[in-house]
Structures are given as C-alpha cells and as structure tokens.
Amino acid sequence: MSISIRSLNKIYPNGNHALNNINMEIPTGMFGLLGPNGAGKSTLMRILVALMEPTSGEVDVFGYNLLKERKQVRGILGYLPQDFRFFAKYKTYEFLDYAARLSGMHNGRKRRQAVDEMLEMVGLFDVRERYASRLSGGMKRRLGIAQALIHNPRLIIVDEPTTGLDPEERIRFRNLLAKISEQNVTIILSTHIVGDISSTCNCMALMNKGEIAFFGSPEEMRREA
Ligand code: ADP
Ligand code: ADP
C-alpha cells in the first residue's frame, strides 16, 4: 500500500464540500484517479502533497502520517501540479539544477550528473540549453516530471498532466510514466481522460462530486459501465 486515506473531508471556507468522506487504499504501482471537472481531484492531490489541510480525516503515506510527519512525507513524494509554470529566466538544465539544489543536493558534481541523467531519461537532453519557457507543451510536462523526480521520491503525484497535449505528445508522456513506474516509483495520475488510465494503470478510482464512485481495475470499470 502506498497511501491510506480514512474518512477524509474537505469543506472550503465558502462552504463547498469538495471531498465527502473519502476512504481509499492506494496500492503501489501506477494508480489512476479519473473524474470530471469539479469532482475533487485537485483538492485531493493538494491534500496528499501537504499543500492544504483537510477539514477532517487521516492520511498515511508509506506509513508516515501526513499531518504529523509532513517533512518525511515531503521527502518521499514528488508533485507535478496542474498549473506548473517555469521561470522564464531559466534554461531547461538550469531549472532542473535549481530543483535539485532545492531538494538538498549540494555536491555540484553529483548534482550535474543527476540532472544530466534525468534530462536523458525524460528525453530533454538535446534541448537542455533551451529556455524552459520556450519548450513545447509536451516537453514542459516532461520537465515537470523531471523536477518531481529529481530527489528520488518513492511516489509522484501528477495532476492532469496530459491536458492540452496533442495525441503524439500524449502517448509519449504515457510511455514515460510507464517507464518511471517500472523503476519502482509509485505514480498517482489524476485525469479526466479515460485513455490516460486504461493504457497504463492496473488500479483506478472514479471520483464524482467529492466521492469515490468506483474503485478497481480499468477493465472492471468498463464492464460495469
Ligand atoms: P477537479 O480537480 O476534479 O476539477 P477540484 O478539486 O478543483 O476538482 O474542485 C472540487 C470542488 O471544489 C469544485 O466544486 C470546486 O469548485 C471547489 N473548489 C476548488 N477549489 C476551491 C476553493 N479554493 N474554494 C472553494 N471551492 C473550491
Ligand atoms: P481545477 O481544474 O484544479 O479544479 P480550476 O481551474 O477549477 O482548477 O480552479 C483554479 C483555481 O481556482 C484553483 O486554485 C482552485 O482552488 C480555485 N477554485 C476553484 N473553484 C473555486 C471556487 N468555487 N471558489 C474559489 N476558488 C475556486
């Protein structure tokens, strides 16, 4: 089990009940969270990465309590938010180097090696000198994944990463996630696109109006639908 969620609720200050008593055990591997806009996916993701506190409930991430052991949790997870932006003044490799520095890699030689390996892995080594803000949509998403992975987390959370990508970029991105998953990194992928999940995830949940409407394999969901 990677994440255990118990009786989780989120009520925004304006009264929006975005998460309504969520209970869920997320296995290791690649997990898909499917749901229409407004279902509560981003709210759940932001809670899981400790950017926002739930109104009530408990979350464990690889055995660490999210509310009480925030620092440990942050150390083992990476996050690619939906609205991830790159600072215009950084080149691709500089951006990743900066992320590596922030994560505590202080040895310059080791850091450069880690950055180069990561650029290679996500297929951006050839454009490493390009300003990150000038990359294509698909490349930006891959750089976002690289920054989420640079501190060697056990789990990454990616929020709607394929939105706005053309079909070719989308497939390339899915293949990258599959490759990362093979390296024993658990991936939680939030999306409103069924194809993102059915092609890559063994286990998934369908979210609607702040509740888990289905939990199981993509095949089971297709049979039930
Ligand atoms: P999704 O990511 O699935 O589109 P969200 O988690 O963004 O869903 O939103 C779930 C519900 O919570 C929606 O009704 C949305 O309008 C509401 N919501 C999201 N963020 C806020 C906020 N900051 N304040 C109030 N309501 C919010
Ligand atoms: P998402 O696709 O993640 O739901 P949105 O585009 O709906 O994102 O929301 C963008 C931002 O506005 C988010 O930071 C979200 O928290 C906030 N937001 C969404 N719905 C509401 C709402 N009803 N009231 C206040 N803020 C909201």
Side-chain angles (χ1 to χ4, degrees):
M1 224 37 75
S2 68
I3 294 188
S4 168
I5 301 170
R6 298 179 297 281
S7 308
L8 193 68
N9 282 279
K10 178 67 188 182
I11 303 170
Y12 282 107
N14 70 352
N16 280 352
H17 203 149
L19 298 179
N20 188 3
N21 198 37
I22 303 278
N23 288 283
M24 185 158 60
E25 301 281 321
I26 300 180
T28 56
M30 200 160 155
F31 180 79
L33 184 66
L34 181 69
N37 271 330
K41 303 186 297 298
S42 293
T43 301
L44 180 59
M45 308 274 108
R46 287 195 287 258
I47 291 172
L48 294 182
V49 298
L51 282 176
M52 190 167 75
E53 291 207 2
T55 306
S56 63
E58 293 283 333
V59 179
D60 290 340
V61 180
F62 285 109
Y64 292 111
N65 185 283
L66 180 63
L67 294 171
K68 298 188 190 109
E69 294 165 299
R70 225 169 244 262
K71 219 179 148 193
Q72 287 90 331
V73 171
R74 285 228 172 98
I76 55 172
L77 67 76
Y79 179 42
L80 175 56
Q82 188 178 6
D83 54 0
F84 195 67
R85 299 259 187 278
F86 298 97
F87 304 117
K89 67 172 188 170
Y90 286 112
K91 292 179 177 177
T92 298
Y93 82 88
E94 288 171 333
F95 179 80
L96 204 48
D97 185 73
Y98 176 67
R101 229 180 260 259
L102 281 185
S103 79
M105 284 188 205
H106 299 304
N107 179 317
R109 197 178 53 82
K110 280 193 187 152
R111 195 174 61 242
R112 271 190 295 280
Q113 189 183 341
V115 166
D116 283 354
E117 280 172 11
M118 192 56 74
L119 287 169
E120 202 62 78
M121 217 255 299
V122 301
L124 293 176
F125 192 78
D126 293 344
V127 294
R128 66 191 179 282
E129 297 280 350
R130 200 182 290 180
Y131 282 97
S133 53
R134 295 283 173 87
L135 297 175
S136 74
M139 288 173 172
K140 279 183 182 155
R141 243 46 82 82
R142 284 185 270 131
L143 181 54
I145 285 291
Q147 67 75 32
L149 279 174
I150 194 74
H151 64 298
N152 286 319
R154 292 175 72 179
L155 166 87
I156 57 170
I157 292 181
V158 288
D159 195 356
E160 299 269 3
T162 65
T163 304
L165 298 188
D166 66 35
E168 200 180 313
E169 282 177 327
R170 176 164 291 152
I171 286 166
R172 179 156 192 184
F173 192 83
R174 286 175 189 167
N175 290 341
L176 174 62
L177 291 182
K179 184 163 112 187
I180 293 164
S181 168
E182 280 165 16
Q183 296 171 10
N184 280 324
V185 178
T186 286
I187 301 175
I188 298 181
L189 167 71
S190 136
T191 180
H192 62 277
I193 299 162
V194 182
D196 284 348
I197 285 178
S198 53
S199 64
T200 47
C201 302
N202 305 319
C203 184
M204 62 165 289
L206 176 67
M207 224 180 159
N208 194 27
K209 295 181 180 159
E211 296 183 355
I212 302 300
F214 169 86
F215 183 94
S217 70
E219 296 75 47
E220 283 167 332
M221 193 187 71
R222 217 172 305 133
R223 263 182 267 130
E224 280 189 21

